[in-house]
Amino acid sequence: MAEPLRPKQENPKDFLATDTLLAEDETLLRDTVRRYVSDKILPVVGEWFDAGEFPHKEVSKAVGDLGLLGMHLTGYGCAGSSAMMYGLACMELEYGDSGLRSFVSVQGSLAMFPIWAYGSEEHKQEWLPRMAAGEAIGCFGLTEPDSGSDPSSMRTNAHQEPGGDWILNGAKMWITNGSIADVAVVWARTDAGIRGFVVPTDTPGFSAPKIERKVSLRASVTSELILEDVRLPSEAVLPGVASMRGPLSCLNEARFGIAFGAVGAARACYESALDYANTRIQFGGPISRFQLTQQRLVDLMVQVQRGTLVAYHLGRLKDAGALGPAQVSFGKKDNVAMSLRVAREARSLLGANGITTEYPVIRHMNNLESVYTYEGTNEIHTLMMGQAITGHSAFS
Ligand code: TGC
Ligand code: FAD
């Protein structure tokens, strides 16, 4: 007969003991990234956010040394880790700041992945080892000023001259890492479908002005990409794909990481609210003794734990080769929406202190507004899942 359940002291930070679902090597990797974030990021990221700065050289080298850039890819200096490990790294990085996770997502999933999956051997040899080491930074240009949720309406175009050179013209918008990138993967319309181009950012005609005045993801660089008669050799095109499947398949990779990352941001907000409620004294004692406060804290904890379980399940499915794009949408949509709810409630639990960047909560809350929108908005992911369960596309 099973032992009767006995009262025990649950861990407030991992109530359902989700840690027990991780293998030893996964825990080791998770703890390594957690230590990096705790030692090197948390003490300074509030200042980066306040100043609107992202010290990309220092961060890029550090995460490269940790083997986190393109970590789920194999060969060419990449770590060849499991999808679960990539997810866990994203979770810990975003506990620090969504901008930090964005940097790693864009580098690994949006810039390195298309080169790895669709590039020529020369593309791979030229860029991947340096990108894995953090010595070269990449960005991914899909969105345009008039082409966001519907990237297949893009206007950026490339035509091939008789001698073989490509000429690119157009503009991309909201591009993470744009102004700090050494290489841009730019998607453009050609006579033979949508193609990806590997564009060194020192090519004449290419410029990447930084987008200023953001109140979200301030510790992250977001830019326009302007392409004015950018001339590239014939071999600059990614040979492996010639349709929207190219960019959309990259998004699956990054969205998977976000499903994990968002839980990290939510956990940071919950933990901050819990600490605060246990130490903030009102009416002669800590506010955590009030029934209403306990209900709010429990709601936060339950949501974070549920999000963790969803992320881990997606990780196991991906490692088994059984994860579909609409299931990734489940994780991206639901975990980001959860995280934003948690951040807003945690902000309110901190009272007036919640509005300053002395505490991490409002920084996460503002960041998550971007995360809610990028990589497919909440509505786009709803419709992708809607299509999967009904068989009807809402997009045509
Ligand atoms: P549709 O006609 O359905 O498909 C066109 C082709 O693509 C294939 N496909 C996919 N392949 C792999 N994964 C997916 N998720 C795919 N979805 C579609 C499809 O099979 C087809 O292939 P083929 O070979 O038959 O040609 O495509 P559509 O144009 O109607 O698109 C539908 C929709 C709305 C789902 C898509 O446009 C979409 O996902 N829109 C959202 C745009 C988006 O998420 N943009 C993100 C930009 S990058 C970014 O935000 C980075 S933030 C980075 C950070 O800082 O973290
Ligand atoms: P729109 O598509 O104009 O949507 C506006 C609103 O309409 C949204 O609420 C949307 O859900 C809704 N809507 C649109 N279509 C439908 C529909 N069919 N049904 C119901 N509702 C709909 N892009 C890149 O290519 N590379 C990057 O590195 C990158 N980084 C980014 C970084 C940041 C900080 C941000 C904010 C964005 C970034 N993006 C990047 C762009 C991002 O992917 C787009 O913002 C996103 O895809 C949405 O496009 P949009 O902003 O043009 O909104």
Side-chain angles (χ1 to χ4, degrees), residues 96 106 118 149 182 219 305 313 347:
V106 168
Y118 306 122
S149 296
D182 300 285
Q305 290 281 286
H313 180 62
R347 206 295 306 149

Side-chain angles (χ1 to χ4, degrees), residues 13 33-50 58-59 91-98 100 219 264-265 267-269 271-272 275 357-361 363-364 367:
K13 295 187 177 176
V33 183
R34 187 171 283 186
R35 214 164 24 250
Y36 163 68
V37 169
S38 158
D39 292 352
K40 303 287 184 202
I41 300 297
L42 295 182
V44 285
V45 69
E47 287 164 30
W48 296 351
F49 186 94
D50 289 345
E58 169 191 329
V59 173
M91 196 180 268
E92 295 309 315
L93 294 169
E94 198 149 354
Y95 181 95
D97 194 85
S98 300
L100 176 64
R267 202 181 75 232
C269 292
E271 288 178 5
S272 185
D275 282 354
T357 54
E358 284 292 314
Y359 293 85
V361 177
R363 173 169 54 78
H364 281 299
N367 286 341

Side-chain angles (χ1 to χ4, degrees), residues 3-301:
E3 281 279 302
L5 291 178
R6 295 173 206 282
K8 66 173 216 156
Q9 188 62 52
E10 277 80 14
N11 176 358
K13 295 187 177 176
D14 186 23
F15 199 82
L16 291 179
T18 60
D19 277 1
T20 59
L21 300 172
L22 302 180
E24 205 174 319
D25 56 344
E26 293 166 343
T27 306
L28 196 66
L29 176 278
R30 193 272 313 266
D31 290 349
T32 304
V33 183
R34 187 171 283 186
R35 214 164 24 250
Y36 163 68
V37 169
S38 158
D39 292 352
K40 303 287 184 202
I41 300 297
L42 295 182
V44 285
V45 69
E47 287 164 30
W48 296 351
F49 186 94
D50 289 345
E53 282 169 5
F54 181 68
H56 60 275
K57 290 201 172 122
E58 169 191 329
V59 173
S60 179
K61 171 146 185 15
V63 291
D65 287 349
L66 285 170
L68 304 183
L69 297 174
M71 64 187 282
H72 60 313
L73 309 179
T74 48
Y76 308 96
C78 303
S81 306
S82 65
M84 187 72 176
M85 286 192 181
Y86 171 54
L88 289 167
C90 288
M91 196 180 268
E92 295 309 315
L93 294 169
E94 198 149 354
Y95 181 95
D97 194 85
S98 300
L100 176 64
R101 195 270 310 138
S102 263
F103 176 81
V104 171
S105 293
V106 168
Q107 177 86 343
S109 288
L110 295 182
M112 294 174 73
F113 177 80
I115 294 174
W116 180 84
Y118 306 122
S120 64
E121 189 54 32
E122 290 71 30
H123 291 143
K124 295 178 199 187
Q125 297 283 1
E126 179 177 2
W127 289 108
L128 293 180
R130 283 194 289 144
M131 292 173 86
E135 289 159 9
I137 294 176
C139 69
F140 175 88
L142 179 63
T143 304
E144 300 186 355
D146 297 321
S147 209
S149 296
D150 179 20
S152 60
S153 65
M154 73 175 69
R155 292 194 200 148
T156 296
N157 61 82
H159 73 266
Q160 202 161 19
E161 292 195 327
D165 282 359
W166 289 95
I167 307 294
L168 265 67
N169 277 290
K172 299 290 176 180
M173 191 67 185
W174 303 113
I175 306 305
T176 302
N177 296 350
S179 325
I180 56 172
D182 300 285
V183 61
V185 174
V186 173
W187 299 93
R189 183 174 297 289
T190 73
D191 289 344
I194 301 294
R195 306 296 303 261
F197 292 85
V198 179
V199 185
T201 56
D202 57 3
T203 310
F206 180 97
S207 59
K210 187 175 168 193
I211 297 174
E212 305 285 357
R213 305 185 70 178
K214 289 184 299 170
V215 290
S216 174
L217 281 182
R218 288 182 55 74
S220 170
V221 175
T222 318
S223 316
E224 288 177 64
L225 305 184
I226 299 171
L227 301 123
E228 288 174 326
D229 289 329
V230 171
R231 178 180 291 275
L232 298 169
S234 61
E235 56 271 20
V237 72
L238 294 173
V241 72
S243 84
M244 280 304 291
R245 189 171 58 80
L248 295 180
S249 61
C250 304
L251 298 182
N252 293 335
E253 300 299 307
R255 290 165 175 171
F256 170 81
I258 292 173
F260 279 75
V263 179
R267 202 181 75 232
C269 292
Y270 158 64
E271 288 178 5
S272 185
L274 181 62
D275 282 354
Y276 190 84
N278 278 331
T279 50
R280 174 71 180 168
I281 307 297
Q282 288 295 286
F283 300 99
I287 60 171
S288 60
R289 78 192 192 286
F290 299 128
Q291 291 179 8
L292 285 177
T293 310
Q294 290 188 7
Q295 181 183 40
R296 294 163 87 189
L297 289 169
V298 167
D299 280 351
L300 301 189
M301 181 277 288

